[in-house]
C-alpha cells in the first residue's frame, strides 16, 4: 500500500489549508497517510550564514525523512499577496539546500485554499512551477475557493456538494497514480 505525506504550507495554528488536508486524509481509500503539521516546526529563516554556522535545523531533517519515506505528497499551500507564504518558501529553501532534488520521484497533489473566490490560485501557480525544480511531479491540482462558505469547520467537512465531488475525484485520481 502506498503512503501519502499530507501537510499544509502554513504556520498558522488555525490554518484552513491544514483543515482541508486533514479532511482529505479521512477520504483516502487506497493509501495510508501521515499527517504532518509544519506549524509545529521550530524554524529560523534560511541564510547561508545560518547554515554554515549552525547546520540544518532538526525540524528540516525530520520533514526531509518523512518526505523520503512517502510515495506521494498531499500539500495545500496558503496564500499571502498572491504568493505562497514566506514560511513555506523558507521550508522549501532549507529543504533544497539539504538536497536540491528532495522531491525526486515524488508525485504531488497540490492544493490551495483561501477565504476568497480565487482559492489561493496565485500561490498554487507559483508552487506548481517550483516543485519540478526539486524533482517532484505535480500530478493533480485543486484550488478551493471561499473556504468559509464551502467548508464546515464545526463538522470538519466540505459543505458544498459540487466542490466535494470535484476535489474527491481529484483525490482518487491522485491515489490511483501512486500505484
Amino acid at each position: 500500500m502506498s503512503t501519502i505525506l499530507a501537510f499544509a504550507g502554513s504556520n498558522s495554528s488555525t490554518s484552513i489549508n491544514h483543515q482541508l488536508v486533514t479532511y482529505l486524509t479521512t477520504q483516502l481509500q487506497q493509501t495510508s497517510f501521515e499527517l504532518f503539521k509544519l506549524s509545529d516546526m521550530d524554524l529560523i529563516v534560511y541564510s547561508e550564514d545560518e547554515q554554515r554556522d549552525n547546520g540544518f535545523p532538526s525540524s528540516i531533517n525530520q520533514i526531509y525523512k518523512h518526505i523520503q519515506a512517502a510515495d506521494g505528497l498531499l500539500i495545500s499551500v496558503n496564500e499571502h499577496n498572491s504568493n505562497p507564504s514566506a514560511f513555506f518558501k523558507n521550508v522549501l529553501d532549507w529543504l533544497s539546500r539539504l538536497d536540491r532534488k528532495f522531491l525526486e520521484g515524488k508525485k504531488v497533489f497540490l492544493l490551495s485554499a483561501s477565504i476568497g473566490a480565487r482559492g489561493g490560485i496565485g500561490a498554487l501557480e507559483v508552487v506548481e512551477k517550483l516543485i519540478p525544480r526539486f524533482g517532484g511531479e505535480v500530478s493533480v491540482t485543486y484550488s478551493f475557493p471561499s473556504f468559509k462558505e464551502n467548508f464546515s469547520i464545526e463538522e470538519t467537512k466540505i459543505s458544498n456538494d459540487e466542490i466535494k465531488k470535484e476535489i474527491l475525484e481529484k483525490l482518487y485520481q491522485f491515489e490511483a497514480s501512486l500505484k
Side-chain angles (χ1 to χ4, degrees):
M1 178 179 280
S2 299
T3 301
I4 292 173
L5 178 63
F7 60 90
S10 174
N11 62 344
S12 170
S13 63
T14 60
S15 168
I16 62 174
N17 285 277
H18 185 74
Q19 291 173 47
L20 179 60
V21 165
T22 300
Y23 168 76
L24 289 175
T25 61
T26 69
Q27 303 302 304
L28 292 168
Q29 297 178 340
Q30 303 171 28
T31 53
S32 61
F33 70 90
E34 179 182 6
L35 186 61
F36 197 88
K37 197 165 187 183
L38 289 182
S39 62
D40 291 341
M41 293 175 62
D42 183 26
L43 194 56
I44 192 163
V45 173
Y46 176 79
S47 76
E48 289 180 13
D49 296 337
E50 179 64 29
Q51 180 187 342
R52 181 192 63 240
D53 296 345
N54 299 307
F56 291 93
S58 61
S59 56
I60 287 299
N61 288 313
Q62 181 184 12
I63 187 69
Y64 177 78
K65 288 176 185 172
H66 289 277
I67 289 170
Q68 297 311 301
D71 298 299
L73 304 173
L74 176 64
I75 305 171
S76 189
V77 294
N78 59 330
E79 184 175 82
H80 293 173
N81 300 316
S82 298
N83 282 289
S85 67
F87 172 78
F88 186 63
K89 174 66 169 70
N90 189 46
V91 170
L92 294 177
D93 290 343
W94 276 110
L95 286 167
S96 67
R97 292 299 294 213
L98 183 62
D99 176 358
R100 178 70 178 164
K101 296 291 186 180
F102 69 94
L103 293 175
E104 190 72 47
K106 305 297 177 188
K107 292 187 178 184
V108 178
F109 181 1
L110 183 62
L111 302 128
S112 61
S114 78
I115 59 172
R118 294 191 58 211
I121 193 77
L124 186 140
E125 289 172 344
V126 170
V127 176
E128 185 177 12
K129 291 176 184 172
L130 286 174
I131 286 175
R133 298 176 86 185
F134 306 126
E137 174 192 338
V138 178
S139 56
V140 183
T141 64
Y142 192 82
S143 175
F144 193 102
S146 307
F147 190 81
K148 290 182 179 178
E149 288 82 31
N150 295 314
F151 191 94
S152 171
I153 294 171
E154 298 78 28
E155 297 177 63
T156 318
K157 69 177 190 174
I158 297 172
S159 55
N160 179 307
D161 290 337
E162 183 178 327
I163 289 175
K164 181 178 180 179
K165 181 179 184 247
E166 289 173 358
I167 200 168
L168 290 180
E169 283 176 6
K170 299 265 186 174
L171 180 67
Y172 302 144
Q173 176 186 348
F174 177 64
E175 275 190 296
S177 77
L178 296 176
K179 292 186 176 193

